[in-house]
């Protein structure tokens, strides 16, 4: 089974802090994604990556950056955390390029910014 | 614009059948996914349809009509453990997923 592991289930940070969310997958997947999930809204794509050192902006990249130095690891960075970034953050991975494969999700990080 | 619509909440009885509908509008289309998400847990993949018709997987079936921009997830012989949110997501021309807000399914004994 695919395993996507997010470093923290719950995280509390203060406004203005730099926050790192880590995600590791163990199935050698090329594609990795970061979403945020808020009540009443669908999953919104923040950033994604199709290869090592490669990144693409999703629908809501403002205030975030990412890093993919190794194939199995995709990090989300909140440069200067703000209260409107309080949310559930989900990491996902999938195999293949240019075709459609299901995404496999981690358990999520519930981030609170005070 | 791109859009996915699905009901916010549905209630059904244990042992019964429920159909969760999803309509989509996307720039291009490369298939439709259904995911299940229990409260506080990760979404898990249920089904993928790219051709018109019904795909059956045990108690769960998924239907797609590309001409109508419509899909449904059919759950039979409902069990209490089926209480969860069901997420519909369409793959657009760039193979990006457009997600619905999810349908919270409540199963009553």
């Amino acid at each position: 089974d695919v395993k996507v592991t997010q470093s923290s289930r719950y995280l509390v940070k203060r406004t203005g802090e730099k926050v790192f969310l880590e995600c590791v997958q163990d199935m050698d997947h090329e594609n990795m994604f970061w979403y945020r999930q808020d009540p009443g809204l669908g999953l919104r794509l923040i950033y994604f990556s199709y290869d090592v050192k490669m990144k693409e902006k999703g629908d809501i990249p403002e205030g975030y950056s990412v890093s993919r130095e190794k194939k199995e690891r995709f990090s989300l960075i909140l440069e200067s955390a703000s209260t409107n970034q309080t949310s559930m953050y989900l990491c996902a991975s999938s195999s293949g390029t240019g075709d459609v494969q299901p995404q496999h999700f981690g358990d999520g990080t519930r981030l609170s910014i005070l | 614009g791109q859009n996915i619509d699905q009901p916010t909440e549905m209630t059904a009885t244990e042992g019964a059948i429920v159909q969760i509908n999803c309509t989509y509008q996307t720039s291009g289309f490369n298939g439709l996914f259904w995911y299940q998400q229990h409260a506080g847990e990760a979404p898990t993949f249920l089904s993928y349809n790219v051709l018109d018709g019904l795909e059956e997987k045990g108690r769960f079936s998924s239907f797609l009509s590309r001409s109508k921009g419509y899909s449904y997830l059919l759950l039979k012989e409902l069990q209490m453990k089926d209480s969860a949110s069901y997420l519909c997501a369409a793959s657009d021309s760039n193979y990006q997923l457009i997600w619905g807000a999810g349908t919270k399914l409540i199963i009553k004994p």
Side-chain angles (χ1 to χ4, degrees):
Chain A
D1 273 355
V2 176
K3 183 72 174 175
V4 179
T5 303
Q6 295 184 228
S7 52
S8 306
R9 289 299 303 271
Y10 301 93
L11 206 54
V12 180
K13 296 291 182 181
R14 296 207 173 273
T15 304
E17 281 192 72
K18 191 168 186 176
V19 182
F20 294 85
L21 303 183
E22 306 287 346
C23 175
V24 176
Q25 50 95 2
D26 67 358
M27 284 300 291
D28 201 37
H29 282 171
E30 291 82 4
N31 311 321
M32 296 190 75
F33 308 83
W34 274 107
Y35 293 94
R36 62 180 282 177
Q37 185 175 33
D38 298 291
L41 300 177
L43 295 179
R44 292 184 290 167
L45 183 63
I46 305 171
Y47 268 96
F48 61 99
S49 169
Y50 287 146
D51 202 352
V52 176
K53 297 193 184 293
M54 178 268 178
K55 59 186 179 184
E56 294 283 348
K57 292 180 179 179
D59 299 319
I60 52 164
E62 297 78 19
Y64 304 94
S65 63
V66 290
S67 172
R68 193 162 181 203
E69 296 296 318
K70 294 184 178 181
K71 190 175 185 179
E72 67 271 17
R73 185 180 296 271
F74 193 35
S75 303
L76 179 70
I77 303 149
L78 284 67
E79 297 292 343
S80 177
S82 63
T83 54
N84 63 11
Q85 292 178 309
T86 291
S87 186
M88 170 69 86
Y89 289 88
L90 289 165
C91 174
S93 72
S94 69
S95 65
T97 54
D99 63 353
V100 189
Q101 296 291 332
Q103 294 182 14
H104 300 267
F105 287 83
D107 285 336
T109 296
R110 189 166 293 281
L111 175 65
S112 296
I113 306 296
L114 305 179
Chain B
Q2 307 201 99
N3 192 51
I4 302 270
D5 283 317
Q6 52 181 130
T8 303
E9 187 174 297
M10 299 182 71
T11 303
T13 305
E14 191 177 15
I17 299 173
V18 71
Q19 177 175 311
I20 303 174
N21 296 324
C22 171
T23 57
Y24 64 88
Q25 288 180 303
T26 55
S27 302
F29 179 72
N30 283 301
L32 190 124
F33 290 88
W34 284 98
Y35 282 78
Q36 180 190 59
Q37 186 178 25
H38 285 102
E41 297 183 11
T44 54
F45 169 71
L46 288 177
S47 67
Y48 171 69
N49 296 65
V50 66
L51 300 177
D52 285 354
L54 188 68
E55 298 268 350
E56 297 187 69
K57 272 189 190 179
R59 295 189 300 113
F60 291 11
S61 302
S62 55
F63 172 83
L64 178 68
S65 168
R66 294 176 67 126
S67 62
K68 295 182 179 178
Y70 167 69
S71 173
Y72 67 72
L73 182 69
L74 190 71
L75 291 74
K76 302 177 185 176
E77 301 169 16
L78 285 170
Q79 302 175 10
M80 297 304 293
K81 67 179 182 179
D82 297 329
S83 292
S85 288
Y86 291 86
L87 313 181
C88 169
S91 178
D92 70 9
S93 58
N94 295 318
Y95 299 96
Q96 295 303 312
L97 291 185
I98 311 303
W99 293 85
T103 299
K104 182 178 181 180
L105 178 63
I106 300 168
I107 310 297
K108 295 186 174 180

